[in-house]
Amino acid sequence: MALREYERDIRGCSRCSICKWVPFAQIKSVDCATVCPSISRYNFHSYSGGGRLILGLSLLEDRVELTEEVADIIYKCVMCGACEVSCKIYRDDIDVLRVIEELRFACVENGMMLPEHMMMVDAMKQEDNVFGEPKSARGDWAKDLGLKDINKEKADVLFHAGCRLSYDEGLRGVVRGAASILSDAGVDLGIAGADEACCGGRAFEVGYRGELEKYAEDFASRVKASGCSKLVTPCSDCYGAFKQLYPMVGKELGVEVLHVVEYVEMLMGQGRIRPTVKVPLKVTYHDPCHLGRRGEPYREWEGEDKLKRPSAFKMSGTRGVYDAPREILSRLPAVELVEMERIREYAWCCGAGGGVMEAYPEFNSWSANERVDEALATGAQAIVTACPWCERSFTDALEERDEDLEVLDLMELLARSLGSEPDA
Amino acid sequence: MLDDAVYREFEEVVGPDNISREPAILDGYTYQIVFNPTPSPWLNRPAAVALPCSTEEVQGIVKVCNRHHVRFKAHSTGWGVFNAPGYEDMIILDLRRMNRILQIDENNMFALVEPYITCNQLQAEAMKKGLNCHIIGAGPNTSVLASCTSVGGVGWTGISMGYNCRNVLGVEWVLPTGEVVRLGSPGSGDGWFSGDGPGPSLRGIMRGLFGAMGGLGVFTRVAVKLFNWPGPKRIDARGLMFDIKAEVPENIKLYILLFPDMQRFLDATYDLGDAEIGWIHSRNPAGMLFTFLFPGLMRETAGRPAMRSAMESIKHMVSFGIAASSPGELAYQEKVVREVIARNDGVLIDMGKLPQFESFMLFGLMRSTLSAFVFRAGGNFASSLVGEETTDSGAPQVDLGVRIKQEYIDKGALIDDMADTVWGSIYENNLFAHYESLMTFDSRDPRQQEWIKVDEEVVDELIDRKWGIGIGLSGAGTVVHKKFGPHMCNYDKWQRRIKKALDPEGLSDPIGYTEPGD
């Protein structure tokens, strides 16, 4: 059991519960002081980051068995990584999130998977996407956009849409908008169309490490064959997989990997994208976990004494993408950004990650609604994000409520400001 | 094991989602390494854990306990061995659903809170109303209520805000028998403004010096005194800890004070207390700070003579802060602190000249965010608390703690942090001082399992030398109280009588407090 490799981390837990809280200097109110959706929703200590370490020790010492009840605790976690950020402020020698991952690998190894996750992984095996939608329809979103097919011709930039944006028709405007913005800026853009496959990240998060390795291997060879110099994605989930999970399983793509917000910010800096249309809107920005703390590049460190681990190798969340989306927002005429209390490294999760959207929709909805409440408290007219999974969560949450809050991807907002809002 | 029928009775009180007897859940309440004197992280696994959300639910659980003779213990944030069950067949009440600030009374300067409101949360809300709260040395993630009613209560703002033993005003208390009493003015229905009435004043019985550690029932609400906060409603910061950037208000000043020796540190401390100035005051030896902040570096360098010499030369180091209500007050306090420094041959470093450091230390001191760095070097720590006494009597206690600790460092039983990690503050001007010698160690290291012996030696020497009560082993319950009691007016006998009077069935877990007796 690889969990054993983290026994020292586990035994180091002081049960201080710092993992449950927003980093102390950033606590601004009683209502937005907590950072972990799991412990906040389910309350028993085992649902916290530290509680999961203790659960790992219970398993290692055979104090408890890996039963359905235990698997249920393990999987009721959005794997947002907020516990890791708060813990790492004080501890160099505990990698909370790695332990949480190992608990899930153990579930899969011991046949304690959840049916919803098995269905998702089966769908991936059959159709190369998490929804089980026809592989042949994967590129339909790009119809009539005139993008290059990298299977047929070379392109400088490979645009990877990801499963959610390829198949969620409600978000079609996001992906078409993002691709059009780049294309209009003169970027030599290509897509894989029906041959694009899932990044494998969601399989990894529910415990199927091998699936990720398989997809990463396949993806690396496709990227290499494409001859592109950059890989750009509008999906934060995919971005997190490329930046953090692929290196973790030893796969490097060998090209520059960018989230579309990073690339757009760069193009804006070069004057290639110039938003001029006033969009009078007060917005708040939601940091997607997989773009922020879980989009932090992973670097393998071989040492044993983690107190000596250089900070560049320590996953603290601080090297995620936080400034680029805010920089873009600042350049949109008449758009006013009002920040929520929990932002950047300590943002509250939308609830979609870690297989929670698939297996525990009520928990997903609860977490999204918490965030919607926080957004509404700012007085914003729109909550803007940069991840289709977050956008889907907020949109679904708001469908049940009578609130005047628009949910937008940053690329949708940018398209408005460019006067080129695409058809969906 | 709880009988199924009894479990169902508990379940009826809190609802099925808020009680569990799943072993994996229970182990979350069984594991405690901090202040745990045994080599195992596991204490007793309770029979169940419940999550009550109201005083009525707490009372309901306690009544079921009384009907079926089930022991119980409540905790708020649940950190430290005193939160662990003393027995296997008992029920733990995790009070985290009782998480509301019920009132902040600006006119009477108090807050009424439930058990799971942390110091951090209360401070953030109080500042919006021009008020501040005393945060205990254990850090901002601790329960306001627990530091008022049940455990300790000292911290770095003691010089201006006192000690939570005395800051506690009204209390709502579910006795071990299940009766609900209200102490202080709420006991007569007159609001929550005074701990001594009109209404019953039982603060001494409720907690005494250090608290009953969950051994006298469950406290469900507390009114705590708040203090003037002359700063802004919110200090916005960028960054998480070392990288924090914040604009320090003009009326806030932070200093490092250095003294050449213990005597001049003590004299300066008296001077500051007598002058009635200061917002924050804490002795923070350089070796301690370096070990906490840069544990990897200290591991490499602690043995080098140059490092030891450097640390030794700046060990009498004080963090001092001023929060002034007017420019005139600021100027006056600055003038006084400079005079105190000059009179005692000290060195004053104005953190304002080091903006990045000042930002870091602002939150470190104002919000006690530095506290949890104690875990950084080895993951665990213990405290050889040496006294709640006068500043002068604290000095030899500091020496005692350091001397004994050094012996254990020398044999590898503790992490080398230069031994003098005694932090301390003064309270209510110079009425008393609290000095506390921290020990850092790694409980994963088989050589580092002996911290309790340091505490035992310190306690024995305190008794031999008649240097006053040490509170280092207070969480250890009856054993240590029996040691100290005969030298301190037999207080331990009174404790046992109180326990018997309030908890005749002995149901409120006595492990951190005392068994009932005559």
Side-chain angles (χ1 to χ4, degrees):
Chain A
M1 195 176 193
L3 187 60
R4 181 73 64 187
E5 292 172 20
Y6 291 92
E7 186 174 350
R8 183 173 168 77
D9 297 47
I10 291 170
R11 288 185 181 277
C13 178
S14 315
R15 206 195 185 280
C16 62
S17 291
I18 287 172
C19 53
K20 298 172 184 171
W21 301 99
V22 164
F24 297 147
Q26 295 296 352
I27 289 180
K28 303 172 186 83
S29 74
V30 67
D31 292 331
C32 292
T34 57
V35 78
C36 168
S38 183
I39 183 68
S40 300
R41 171 67 183 81
Y42 297 106
N43 287 310
F44 294 108
H45 186 70
S46 305
Y47 290 92
S48 67
R52 293 176 192 283
L53 297 180
I54 295 169
L55 175 55
L57 189 59
S58 294
L59 288 165
L60 285 174
E61 294 193 359
D62 294 325
R63 290 174 58 86
V64 298
E65 292 178 15
L66 188 46
T67 60
E68 282 184 21
E69 290 77 14
V70 172
D72 187 61
I73 298 168
I74 290 170
Y75 280 117
K76 279 179 175 162
C77 166
V78 290
M79 296 189 74
C80 67
C83 56
E84 174 113 322
V85 168
S86 290
C87 180
K88 279 272 171 52
I89 289 171
Y90 292 103
R91 298 298 297 272
D92 293 320
D93 58 343
I94 300 177
D95 292 325
V96 185
L97 198 55
R98 299 287 88 81
V99 174
I100 291 172
E101 287 163 358
E102 291 296 343
L103 287 169
R104 289 169 174 232
F105 301 154
C107 284
V108 172
E109 286 162 14
N110 290 279
M112 299 305 299
M113 302 83 82
L114 302 183
E116 296 85 353
H117 295 163
M118 292 166 67
M119 284 169 60
M120 180 183 79
V121 173
D122 283 347
M124 290 168 67
K125 287 176 178 170
Q126 287 173 28
E127 300 290 345
D128 277 344
N129 68 76
V130 295
F131 304 114
E133 294 290 333
K135 182 174 172 59
S136 57
R138 184 152 188 138
D140 289 357
W141 65 267
K143 192 177 175 188
D144 301 331
L145 288 180
L147 302 176
K148 282 184 179 175
D149 179 349
I150 57 136
N151 301 300
K152 296 175 183 165
E153 52 187 327
K154 297 285 183 193
D156 182 44
V157 174
L158 172 58
F159 185 88
H160 176 85
C163 296
R164 170 64 66 184
L165 284 174
S166 293
Y167 293 104
D168 188 332
E169 296 199 0
L171 302 179
R172 190 133 291 182
V174 176
V175 65
R176 288 176 66 84
S180 298
I181 289 166
L182 298 181
S183 200
D184 292 349
V187 173
D188 179 20
L189 201 66
I191 61 171
D195 283 338
E196 181 183 291
C198 177
C199 65
R202 294 185 83 79
F204 178 90
E205 288 198 346
V206 300
Y208 290 81
R209 182 185 165 99
E211 287 301 306
L212 177 84
E213 288 171 341
K214 191 181 78 179
Y215 278 102
E217 181 76 43
D218 181 57
F219 200 82
S221 60
R222 285 168 188 267
V223 168
K224 189 176 179 185
S226 77
C228 69
S229 69
K230 292 183 182 66
L231 170 65
V232 174
T233 180
C235 175
S236 293
D237 243 38
C238 300
Y239 180 81
F242 300 148
K243 297 288 272 196
Q244 197 170 101
L245 303 185
Y246 281 22
M248 201 182 293
V249 297
K251 292 287 176 252
E252 296 288 348
L253 295 176
V255 295
E256 187 179 8
V257 176
L258 296 165
H259 188 278
V260 72
V261 298
E262 294 178 286
Y263 197 32
V264 163
E265 188 214 7
M266 195 170 77
L267 295 172
M268 280 179 149
Q270 294 169 357
R272 292 167 67 183
I273 297 175
R274 296 173 189 267
T276 54
V277 179
K278 285 187 178 176
V279 183
L281 200 63
K282 187 188 277 192
V283 304
T284 193
Y285 176 70
H286 167 79
D287 290 279
C289 304
H290 289 82
L291 180 61
R293 55 194 171 230
R294 296 221 57 202
E296 185 174 58
Y298 177 85
R299 289 177 68 186
E300 184 74 21
W301 185 70
E302 301 290 348
E304 287 193 2
D305 184 352
K306 289 183 178 174
L307 284 189
K308 295 179 183 170
R309 179 168 51 176
S311 57
F313 294 84
K314 188 172 121 176
M315 304 300 285
S316 58
T318 54
R319 285 169 285 121
V321 177
Y322 307 108
D323 292 330
R326 289 175 170 82
E327 179 61 26
I328 294 171
L329 284 169
S330 76
R331 291 176 181 228
L332 304 186
V335 168
E336 180 191 354
L337 172 65
V338 283
E339 293 279 17
M340 289 181 276
E341 289 192 14
R342 292 174 290 194
I343 56 172
R344 302 176 69 93
E345 298 94 334
Y346 47 96
W348 179 267
C349 175
C350 73
V356 165
M357 181 181 259
E358 292 78 9
Y360 304 104
E362 179 273 333
F363 179 25
N364 178 191
S365 174
W366 178 87
S367 193
N369 274 294
E370 289 285 306
R371 191 59 161 168
V372 165
D373 288 341
E374 192 177 345
L376 287 167
T378 66
Q381 299 161 286
I383 181 168
V384 177
T385 188
C387 174
W389 298 89
C390 302
E391 186 169 357
R392 172 51 57 209
S393 294
F394 297 142
T395 303
D396 290 351
L398 278 160
E399 267 184 14
E400 315 262 310
R401 302 170 60 157
D402 184 23
E403 304 283 3
D404 194 14
L405 184 71
E406 200 174 357
V407 183
L408 289 170
D409 187 276
L410 183 51
M411 291 302 107
E412 291 176 291
L413 187 58
L414 175 59
R416 284 187 196 178
S417 196
L418 290 166
S420 61
E421 195 168 357
D423 64 299
Chain B
M1 282 285 287
L2 281 181
D3 181 83
D4 285 351
V6 176
Y7 185 82
R8 277 196 295 276
E9 286 189 44
F10 285 125
E11 200 174 64
E12 282 170 18
V13 175
V14 292
D17 288 345
N18 296 308
I19 187 165
S20 177
R21 51 181 167 178
E22 161 61 43
I25 296 285
L26 299 177
D27 268 3
Y29 298 86
T30 308
Y31 174 102
Q32 289 284 359
I33 64 168
V34 176
F35 302 126
N36 176 352
T38 75
S40 169
W42 305 108
L43 283 300
N44 298 294
R45 183 188 275 169
V49 57
L51 298 159
C53 71
S54 65
T55 303
E56 291 70 28
E57 288 191 2
V58 170
Q59 187 179 27
I61 291 169
V62 173
K63 284 186 172 175
V64 174
C65 288
N66 273 270
R67 275 203 296 277
H68 300 287
H69 204 82
V70 177
R71 283 198 178 94
F72 65 91
K73 178 188 276 182
H75 74 63
S76 44
T77 52
W79 171 71
V81 75
F82 18 83
N83 296 286
Y87 303 89
E88 287 194 335
D89 55 353
M90 60 185 286
I91 183 167
I92 289 287
L93 284 71
D94 180 342
L95 303 178
R96 60 170 281 118
R97 293 176 69 221
M98 299 177 72
N99 58 359
R100 294 175 300 166
I101 296 176
L102 298 166
Q103 182 184 2
I104 293 181
D105 185 326
E106 292 163 75
N107 294 326
N108 292 301
M109 299 175 72
F110 72 81
L112 178 63
V113 301
E114 292 187 322
Y116 202 72
I117 285 297
T118 63
C119 299
N120 212 333
Q121 290 172 296
L122 180 58
Q123 185 181 67
E125 294 296 338
M127 283 182 169
K128 294 173 186 171
K129 297 176 184 290
L131 297 167
N132 200 357
C133 63
H134 177 60
I135 295 182
I136 61 168
N141 52 323
T142 55
S143 158
V144 174
L145 177 141
S147 66
C148 287
T149 60
S150 307
V151 187
V154 291
W156 306 336
T157 51
I159 193 169
S160 62
M161 302 191 202
Y163 168 30
N164 273 357
C165 176
R166 312 242 289 196
N167 289 335
V168 57
L169 302 175
V171 173
E172 183 176 80
W173 183 6
V174 178
L175 296 176
T177 53
E179 298 163 73
V180 177
V181 297
R182 285 183 168 182
L183 305 187
S185 48
S188 60
D190 285 332
W192 292 80
F193 61 89
S194 168
D196 295 316
S201 171
L202 298 172
R203 285 195 286 179
I205 285 174
M206 174 191 80
R207 61 158 291 162
L209 176 67
F210 201 72
M213 306 278 198
L216 278 181
V218 186
F219 302 98
T220 48
R221 289 181 183 188
V222 68
V224 61
K225 186 170 171 55
L226 300 176
F227 298 84
N228 177 49
W229 168 243
K233 292 182 175 178
R234 188 168 114 177
I235 298 179
D236 285 322
R238 178 85 180 260
L240 301 180
M241 183 60 73
F242 292 110
D243 59 339
I244 279 182
K245 287 186 173 58
E247 195 167 325
V248 178
E250 286 183 359
N251 58 335
I252 304 288
K253 292 291 287 183
L254 299 172
Y255 302 102
I256 296 286
L257 313 182
L258 294 166
F259 298 97
D261 55 38
M262 177 61 89
Q263 189 56 53
R264 278 176 281 196
F265 156 73
L266 294 173
D267 291 344
T269 301
Y270 274 109
D271 286 346
L272 291 169
D274 288 345
E276 299 186 3
I277 63 161
W279 161 46
I280 285 165
H281 172 274
S282 180
R283 183 179 190 271
N284 294 317
M288 177 175 88
L289 283 181
F290 270 72
T291 304
F292 290 1
L293 299 180
F294 316 112
L297 180 67
M298 280 299 276
R299 188 183 292 179
E300 295 294 313
T301 59
R304 296 182 188 174
M307 179 60 104
R308 299 200 85 80
S309 176
M311 293 294 111
E312 183 70 19
S313 65
I314 53 173
K315 72 177 179 182
H316 298 295
M317 186 166 125
V318 173
S319 301
F320 186 77
I322 296 170
S325 295
S326 68
E329 187 193 357
L330 182 66
Y332 170 74
Q333 292 205 30
E334 283 187 289
K335 185 179 173 188
V336 172
V337 72
R338 288 178 192 279
E339 280 187 16
V340 170
I341 283 289
R343 190 188 302 172
N344 295 284
D345 303 321
V347 174
L348 180 145
I349 299 170
D350 182 349
M351 293 190 215
K353 308 289 186 195
L354 309 164
Q356 180 63 53
F357 183 60
E358 187 186 37
S359 289
F360 169 68
M361 289 297 279
L362 174 68
F363 283 93
L365 297 169
M366 174 184 77
R367 197 160 271 189
S368 286
T369 59
L370 292 174
S371 302
F373 281 110
V374 73
F375 295 121
R376 201 168 172 84
N380 207 348
F381 86 104
S383 178
S384 164
L385 302 181
V386 285
E388 308 278 336
E389 274 288 349
T390 62
T391 295
D392 267 340
S393 70
Q397 293 182 8
V398 168
D399 289 341
L400 167 67
V402 171
R403 176 174 56 75
I404 293 174
K405 190 179 150 190
Q406 185 64 57
E407 294 168 15
Y408 284 81
I409 290 173
D410 291 344
K411 61 181 180 180
L414 295 172
I415 289 171
D416 189 354
D417 51 15
M418 307 282 164
D420 184 351
T421 53
V422 178
W423 77 272
S425 302
I426 50 174
Y427 297 81
E428 301 170 11
N429 307 118
N430 286 312
L431 193 63
F432 78 98
H434 169 92
Y435 289 105
E436 180 173 347
S437 175
L438 304 176
M439 297 175 270
T440 49
F441 56 97
D442 190 336
S443 41
R444 296 162 291 194
D445 183 339
R447 296 172 306 155
Q448 300 196 342
Q449 309 288 333
E450 296 186 305
W451 71 269
I452 191 69
K453 291 182 182 173
V454 180
D455 266 11
E456 287 168 350
E457 287 189 36
V458 169
V459 167
D460 288 343
E461 285 216 30
L462 284 174
I463 290 169
D464 287 348
R465 295 167 187 260
K466 302 193 185 329
W467 275 353
I469 187 166
I471 53 177
L473 292 176
S474 290
T478 307
V479 176
V480 73
H481 292 314
K482 278 185 176 171
K483 274 191 170 188
F484 276 128
H487 308 279
M488 298 292 290
C489 310
N490 292 317
Y491 80 87
D492 58 316
K493 291 183 180 174
W494 288 101
Q495 277 187 323
R496 290 199 290 278
R497 287 176 193 167
I498 290 168
K499 174 72 174 169
K500 187 176 180 184
L502 295 179
D503 187 12
E505 298 296 318
L507 298 181
S508 189
D509 187 356
I511 203 79
Y513 182 49
T514 195
E515 297 284 354
D518 294 315

